[in-house]
Structure formats: structure tokens, C-alpha cells
Amino acid sequence: MSNISLEFPDGSKQEVAAGIKPAEVAANISNSLKKSAVAAKINGFLVDLQRPIFQDAKIEIITSKDAAAVEVMRETAIFLLSAVLKQKYPEINFGEHQVNDEGFYLDTDKADAQVSVDELEDLKDRMQKLIAEKPEIERQMMDKKELAEKVQADPYKSALVAAYDNVQIPVFKLGDFIDFGEKALLPEIKNLKYYQLLSVAGAYWQGKSSNPMLQRIYGTAFLSDEDLQADLKRRAEIKERDHRTIGRELDLFFVDPKVGAGLAYWMPKGATIRRVVERYIIDKEVAAGYQHVYTPVLMNLDAYKTSGHWDHYREDMFPPMDMGEGEMLELRPMNCPSHIEIYKHHIHSYRELPIRIAELGMMHRYEKSGALSGLQRVREMTLNDGHTFVALDQIEDEFKKVLQLMLDVYHDFAIDNYSFRLSYRDPANTEKYFDDDEMWNRSQGMLKAAMDDMGLEYYEAEGEAAFYGPKLDVQTQTALGNEETLSTIQLDFMQPERFKLTYVGEDGQEHRPVMIHRGVISTMERFIAYLMEMYKGAFPTWLAPIQAMIIPVRNDLHLDYAQKLQDDMRKLGLRVEIDSRNEKMNYKIREAQTQKIPYTIVIGDREVSDAKVSVRKYGEQNSAEEDISMFIDSVVADVKNYSRTGKE
């Protein structure tokens, strides 16, 4: 047999017989390496220790101390989970599986009923029992045709086998169970110790909504129990912050696929939060010189062809509606053409610029079902949108004003975890981006100069610009660790040109304005989801849907006083409810805390006789007695100061 050359991480090389296995390479180096080896990397790809090597290659032996060993653990956990599922449900089918930074998942399909979350503990017990038996995994290469015959009863496995280009496919057997794929499993299954099955969810076969819905089982595995427990703690924190969980527990909103996936229904308390945010941002923008408008949610398709959205975002738009006689209407995916029409309705002078137009504009996006997520990814959304029409020499000054507005808003909402990203075009991608080098260079330079002048830190990202111009994106992270754009400012030289926008200059001639797109707080859906997660559902007083809950000790003796207090507070614009249910007082106090209401007020004999209130703030264990008028004044001040009492 011929020899091949293996190159090790330190650069050294060794001549070995072709067909040698990584396990044999490890054994040749040292006995200790042989014992600690769990896999190998061949030319950077993770492989099983029993995979023969037939060509010259770079090799790295992976031990249990290496980070890559986590992937081996997780692949082994998937294999073992598949084995016990097949043992428990002989007719079960398996779709795709994947190992990633979050753990692993396995797609399954069962004719009678899918695997439920209640079965996960039983499945883990079965995995542990199988591990205790110390079975051996048989590894071999199998002819593609033979493997296809063995998995022919499973339509998903059959499709995966058919997709292989190789004639020989790696196969792993555990008793009667067989699996295959380019992966690495632990040499001894007994070393799989620190793993957890986490949850289940629906997932389309190969991510296509036209395909069958499978059941995805999520799990994770680590090298140590310490790492596993830390990860489970992190996941508990994420679940506590997940706006979908908070929305359900506090009854703020729901999304029901039966009546429309990706379409949010705002419950009374969630609608209250949204209404407060909407009134706040409108007042803020009007004070900053914006003219608020209302425009239709439908628009002639020709407008989106002119704007370029039809060419660049057609896949994200709903199909046009044929109204007859050549009229095609489109559910708007963007508000900019609507605001352009507002601008075009009158002739403008340079003296009017900047002209600032804003709207809470409803938009629709054709999101695939698999991409939808609570309020963060929806099909119908309301954008805090604004467009400013400026002269060329006004760009930097207006950019700074918009950015300062954003910073003021963040201050009021106590938002401090964000970063600035200057998003530029990719010069090589002439298909996506408006082709005008001079425009791009000039506008990108303007944004950079403004950021530098304001002394703000930022990072630059090529290829993240809008198709019509560069932008500043304010990036933040959701509770699930996904990066989201919270706010944006975008320069646009293209659309004023396409729509032939003009203003009359000081010289009496027509000039082309520049358009600045900006969204201060994103969509109402995404922003309120962000707030839910940031506050963990414990909204500050000014945003809380119920700001105070009054609990009379006895309805027959104290309800009248509670109602008068409620009326007095409501006249001042405060949101106050009375819990007069026939329940024990301590239960009602706990309920108010569970609902994360800022103030719980208990009214008894002493409070009635002394014109006082017993107040317990959310998160505190003890109550304090306060004069009723002083208490009301303090709540009013709390709301007026955006709950920044004692802060700058």
C-alpha cells in the first residue's frame, strides 16, 4: 500500500500508510493521546477517529480538552437520542439535524402524534440507561445504493441519502439502529455525561413552508457539568426575558396561526403600553418640527416600481391586487413613496427646508412562516417612520438633529445597551446597489464626518447599506441573543431623482432635494418586544399598563374609599384599578406582584380614618404608610419624569 503525508499543527510531517485512521495516528504519538482523543480534524473538517485517510492531509487530534470536542458531544447526543426514539417508536422518521453554538436539534416525524415536551424526561432516562449498558458503535463505509435500501421506509432519510454525491457514505450502527453522515461521534458512548433535552417546536422539512411540518427536538451537551449548569441558568434567564413568555404571562398580546400567522392581537394591557409609546413619540417628533400625517396602507404598484422596491424587495412584498382596468394595488412594504407623494403635493421653496414628515405607518411584509417570531418578526407592522427633505448643505446638520432625537428617546426609556453601525454599500455588488460612485462616496463621507464631529464611537459594515444609500444603524441584542436594528438614519439621493422631486432655490431655479429616511424606535411591534425583554415585563410607572392596584381589606367597609382614591388618581391621568374580588388579601397582593404592577395600595380602617395609604412598590417586601396627597403627587412626578426619579 502506498504512503501519504500527514502534516501536524506544529508544521511537522510524517509519512504513513494510506488508509490509516486518526485513532492509529494518535496511538503512534502517545498512549495518553490515544486515551484522550475524541475526534480529529482532517484539512479543517471534524471527522470520526475511525475514518480512513487516503490522501495527503493536515491533521489535528481533538481531545476532550479542546473546544471542538463539544461538537462531538452534541453529535453523539443526537445519535443516541435518535436510537432511543427508534426504539420507543419503530415507525418514527428522521429529518435533518444540526449542531450549533446553542446546542443541537433533531427533526422527527410520527404518523399518530408528534413527540411532546412531556416525553423529554423519559427520553433522557432511556438515553442514560443505554449509556449505562456501554454499547459499542460500529463504524463503516457503506455503498450509497445499499444504504438507500436500508432507509427506504423513511422518506426524509431517503432524500438525504439521495443528495449525497459520494458513492461511499459513512455509517454508524448501534444494535439495529443505523445512521449516517459526515460527523464525528465519541469513541466510547459512556463519555456522554453532561447533556439535556430542552424543548420541542414545529419546523418545516428543509425550512420550506410548502413542505411537511416536522417536530424539532432541541437539546445541548457539554464537556463538564459546570458548563451545562451555567448554560441552563443562561437559558432560564433568556426564557424569563423572552417577550413571548412575558406577553403571555402578563396578557399583553397574542399571535394565533389559526387566524393569521405573524399578525399580532394587542390585548387591553398591551394596547395601553403601545398607546403610551405612540403618544410619546408623536409628541416628541412634533416638538422637533415634524409634521405628522396619515397615508393609505394601499398604493399603486407603479409607485414601488419607480422607487425601486419592486425590483429589490419583490420577494418580501405581498402579491399585487388586480382592481381591473389596469389598476394594480399593493399592500405597502415601505412608507417612503407615500411621504414622497405628500411632498410632491405642493411646490416648495428653499425657505421651507428642511421639511420633516412623520407617520406611524402600517406596513406589510411577506415573511415566510418559519421566520415569524412573536412581535419581532411579523407580517403586519406599524413603523415609527419619518422622512426629511433637505438641501445638500443641510445634510450633516439634519443628521445630527435626528441622532440627538434618538439619544434623547433612549434616555427617556433608559436604553443604554446599543452600538452604532455605519452601513456602506459593497462596491462590487452593482446589482443590489444604485450605481453612482460619486453619490455613494459623498454620502458615506457625510455620515462618517457627522459621527466623528459628535464624538460617537461606531463600527463600519460594508454591504449593509440600503439599495439607495448609506445609513447609520443603531444595533442592539434581543434576549435570545439576536442582533436587531433599533433605529436607523438613511441618506437617499436616488428616490428624489426617480420621483423628480424639486424645490425652488434662492436663484429661482429648480433644485433636487436629498431625502433622509429615519426610524427612531423601529416598529411598534419590535420596539415593545424589546422593552418587554429589557424590563423583564416590569415596566416603569410611566409605561406600565396598570400603574397602581388598590386592594380594599373589606369591600363592605373600604370599597367606597378605594373608589374615591381611584377616581382622584384617574382624573390626573393615572391608570389605576381596584381588586375587589372575593379573595384573601395576601393572595391579591401576590397577584399584583406577579403582574409586576408598580404600586400596590392596601386600604383598611386606619387608612380610611387617617386619609393615608399603605403602599408596596413592586419588587419590595415591605409596605410603607404615606399621606394620600403626597403619595399621589409622587406617582404623578414618577410618570412626568419617565420614572427617572433620583437619576440624571
Side-chain angles (χ1 to χ4, degrees):
M1 183 177 290
S2 61
N3 287 343
I4 59 173
S5 175
L6 297 182
E7 181 179 341
F8 295 89
D10 63 1
S12 62
K13 295 183 179 181
Q14 184 178 349
E15 293 287 323
V16 295
I20 193 171
K21 299 174 182 177
E24 295 169 333
V25 175
N28 291 340
I29 295 173
S30 72
N31 194 47
S32 61
L33 184 61
K34 174 186 174 182
K35 291 181 178 179
S36 62
V38 296
K41 280 189 176 181
I42 304 298
N43 294 328
F45 292 96
L46 200 62
V47 301
D48 195 84
L49 285 173
Q50 299 302 318
R51 179 75 63 86
I53 309 170
F54 292 103
Q55 295 178 332
D56 294 350
K58 292 182 178 181
I59 185 170
E60 179 185 357
I61 302 300
I62 303 300
T63 72
S64 56
K65 295 181 180 180
D66 294 319
V70 174
E71 183 176 338
V72 183
M73 293 284 179
R74 292 172 180 175
E75 284 283 8
T76 307
I78 293 171
F79 178 79
L80 196 60
L81 172 60
S82 303
V84 299
L85 279 166
K86 195 69 175 177
Q87 186 182 64
K88 186 176 181 179
Y89 303 112
E91 301 304 316
I92 197 168
N93 294 323
F94 297 104
E96 295 175 308
H97 72 265
Q98 187 179 93
V99 167
N100 52 42
D101 291 341
E102 283 296 300
F104 64 81
Y105 66 75
L106 169 68
D107 289 346
T108 66
D109 193 23
K110 209 152 61 70
D112 49 352
Q114 299 287 23
V115 177
S116 75
V117 69
D118 298 330
E119 296 179 75
L120 297 186
E121 279 302 315
D122 174 62
L123 291 172
K124 185 180 178 183
D125 288 343
R126 289 171 178 262
M127 291 170 70
Q128 289 173 329
K129 289 177 182 176
L130 187 54
I131 291 170
E133 295 172 6
K134 300 179 181 179
E136 286 197 15
I137 300 173
E138 182 184 342
R139 296 148 162 91
Q140 65 183 79
M141 301 297 289
M142 185 175 289
D143 183 78
K144 179 178 177 178
K145 184 177 180 181
E146 181 184 355
L147 180 58
E149 292 175 355
K150 288 185 177 293
V151 300
Q152 62 182 341
D154 186 330
Y156 311 111
K157 287 292 188 186
S158 295
L160 293 173
V161 170
Y164 264 89
D165 293 329
N166 299 341
V167 175
Q168 292 286 310
I169 299 174
V171 168
F172 303 87
K173 297 176 68 177
L174 185 63
D176 294 331
F177 177 71
I178 185 171
D179 198 9
F180 59 92
E182 305 289 340
K183 55 191 174 188
L185 303 183
L186 289 171
E188 294 184 294
I189 209 166
K190 67 179 182 180
N191 292 327
L192 179 64
K193 300 177 182 178
Y194 311 111
Y195 62 95
Q196 184 67 43
L197 302 182
L198 300 167
S199 60
V200 299
Y204 290 111
W205 162 237
Q206 295 187 328
K208 297 179 181 178
S209 58
S210 57
N211 286 342
M213 176 73 78
L214 308 185
Q215 189 76 328
R216 179 165 290 178
I217 303 175
Y218 290 93
T220 193
F222 286 91
L223 301 174
S224 70
D225 187 54
E226 182 181 2
D227 288 342
L228 175 61
Q229 296 308 317
D231 184 69
L232 295 178
K233 183 179 179 180
R234 179 186 66 86
R235 290 177 186 275
E237 170 75 8
I238 288 175
K239 185 176 181 180
E240 184 182 356
R241 284 187 180 272
D242 191 333
H243 80 278
R244 294 168 297 185
T245 302
I246 293 169
R248 181 173 60 253
E249 292 176 347
L250 300 186
D251 196 26
L252 302 179
F253 77 95
F254 70 87
V255 178
D256 187 348
K258 294 178 182 177
V259 292
L263 304 175
Y265 285 74
W266 295 85
M267 299 300 286
K269 289 195 292 183
T272 297
I273 298 169
R274 173 171 172 163
R275 188 165 56 250
V276 172
V277 173
E278 289 178 344
R279 288 173 176 172
Y280 164 86
I281 197 63
I282 290 174
D283 289 346
K284 200 81 172 175
E285 290 175 340
V286 169
Y290 286 87
Q291 303 172 77
H292 260 262
V293 300
Y294 295 99
T295 57
V297 73
L298 289 169
M299 199 172 195
N300 194 296
L301 179 61
D302 289 342
Y304 299 111
K305 290 181 177 179
T306 301
S307 70
H309 290 105
W310 183 248
D311 289 336
H312 292 275
Y313 295 119
R314 187 180 310 181
E315 292 183 358
D316 297 322
M317 298 169 66
F318 279 92
M321 291 172 275
D322 189 344
M323 307 304 293
E325 299 181 354
E327 182 184 19
M328 303 293 287
L329 291 183
E330 177 68 33
L331 276 170
R332 68 177 175 193
M334 301 283 188
N335 301 314
C336 15
S338 301
H339 291 181
I340 287 172
E341 292 303 318
I342 293 279
Y343 178 87
K344 287 177 65 177
H345 194 64
H346 295 297
I347 298 172
H348 298 287
S349 162
Y350 72 95
R351 293 186 180 89
E352 299 174 67
L353 303 184
I355 292 176
R356 304 179 182 97
I357 298 171
E359 179 180 13
L360 294 177
M362 183 180 290
M363 312 184 307
H364 293 80
R365 302 280 175 85
Y366 188 72
E367 296 278 5
K368 298 293 191 294
S369 297
L372 300 173
S373 178
L375 294 177
Q376 285 168 338
R377 292 293 294 271
V378 291
R379 287 174 171 154
E380 180 183 89
M381 65 218 74
T382 300
L383 181 64
N384 163 231
D385 209 357
H387 297 89
T388 303
F389 300 88
V390 299
L392 191 62
D393 61 359
Q394 295 174 325
I395 289 177
E396 286 192 36
D397 186 54
E398 186 64 19
F399 177 86
K400 292 175 184 177
K401 288 180 179 178
V402 175
L403 185 50
Q404 188 58 56
L405 173 62
M406 289 178 176
L407 296 176
D408 291 345
V409 170
Y410 297 167
H411 181 247
D412 290 343
F413 283 94
I415 297 171
D416 55 19
N417 182 24
Y418 57 86
S419 61
F420 294 114
R421 181 182 74 187
L422 281 181
S423 298
Y424 302 147
R425 67 161 175 169
D426 176 0
N429 192 345
T430 55
E431 186 174 316
K432 176 180 178 181
Y433 295 110
F434 181 51
D435 190 14
D436 186 333
D437 289 343
E438 182 183 354
M439 179 278 286
W440 282 102
N441 293 335
R442 180 173 58 182
S443 56
Q444 289 175 177
M446 286 178 175
L447 294 192
K448 182 176 175 62
M451 292 296 288
D452 291 339
D453 194 44
M454 294 182 73
L456 297 171
E457 293 185 4
Y458 58 89
Y459 64 99
E460 298 168 292
E462 189 176 277
E464 293 296 332
F467 70 89
Y468 48 72
K471 57 180 177 169
L472 171 72
D473 291 322
V474 184
Q475 301 298 106
T476 188
Q477 281 199 334
T478 69
L480 301 182
N482 300 317
E483 187 175 79
E484 297 278 8
T485 299
L486 182 62
S487 309
T488 186
I489 311 173
Q490 306 173 0
L491 293 190
D492 186 353
F493 290 77
M494 185 193 79
Q495 292 198 54
E497 185 70 33
R498 288 191 169 187
F499 283 93
K500 302 188 185 312
L501 303 185
T502 62
Y503 68 90
V504 179
E506 192 172 1
D507 59 2
Q509 301 300 310
E510 288 189 342
H511 296 268
R512 193 77 73 208
V514 179
M515 191 174 176
I516 299 178
H517 307 245
R518 44 107 291 193
V520 178
I521 55 172
S522 185
T523 66
M524 290 299 107
E525 291 75 13
R526 182 171 289 182
F527 186 63
I528 293 172
Y530 174 78
L531 294 179
M532 287 185 206
E533 296 182 350
M534 185 180 80
Y535 296 129
K536 291 187 181 181
F539 289 94
T541 308
W542 76 283
L543 284 172
I546 300 175
Q547 295 167 325
M549 179 65 73
I550 303 173
I551 301 174
V553 176
R554 287 182 55 179
N555 288 343
D556 57 339
L557 299 177
H558 312 122
L559 184 57
D560 288 345
Y561 185 88
Q563 289 173 336
K564 182 182 182 308
L565 176 59
Q566 181 188 44
D567 290 342
D568 290 344
M569 296 181 75
R570 282 184 168 179
K571 287 175 183 177
L572 295 171
L574 299 174
R575 298 182 290 276
V576 184
E577 301 293 338
I578 297 174
D579 190 345
S580 58
R581 294 176 298 169
N582 187 26
E583 299 283 357
K584 292 181 179 180
M585 185 179 68
N586 286 339
Y587 172 82
K588 291 193 281 189
I589 291 173
R590 286 196 302 273
E591 182 78 1
Q593 292 287 300
T594 300
Q595 290 298 301
K596 304 183 179 182
I597 296 170
Y599 296 99
T600 302
I601 305 166
V602 176
I603 303 296
D605 291 339
R606 184 172 175 179
E607 286 75 24
V608 172
S609 63
D610 296 346
K612 293 183 179 294
V613 288
S614 177
V615 181
R616 179 176 173 179
K617 295 181 180 180
Y618 172 73
E620 296 184 0
Q621 298 297 318
N622 300 317
S623 300
E625 191 174 77
E626 296 186 33
D627 175 83
I628 188 169
S629 60
M630 292 180 66
F631 167 70
I632 293 176
D633 288 345
S634 70
V635 178
V636 170
D638 190 1
V639 173
K640 184 178 179 180
N641 296 328
Y642 303 113
S643 304
R644 292 198 306 260
T645 305
K647 297 180 182 179
E648 183 182 324

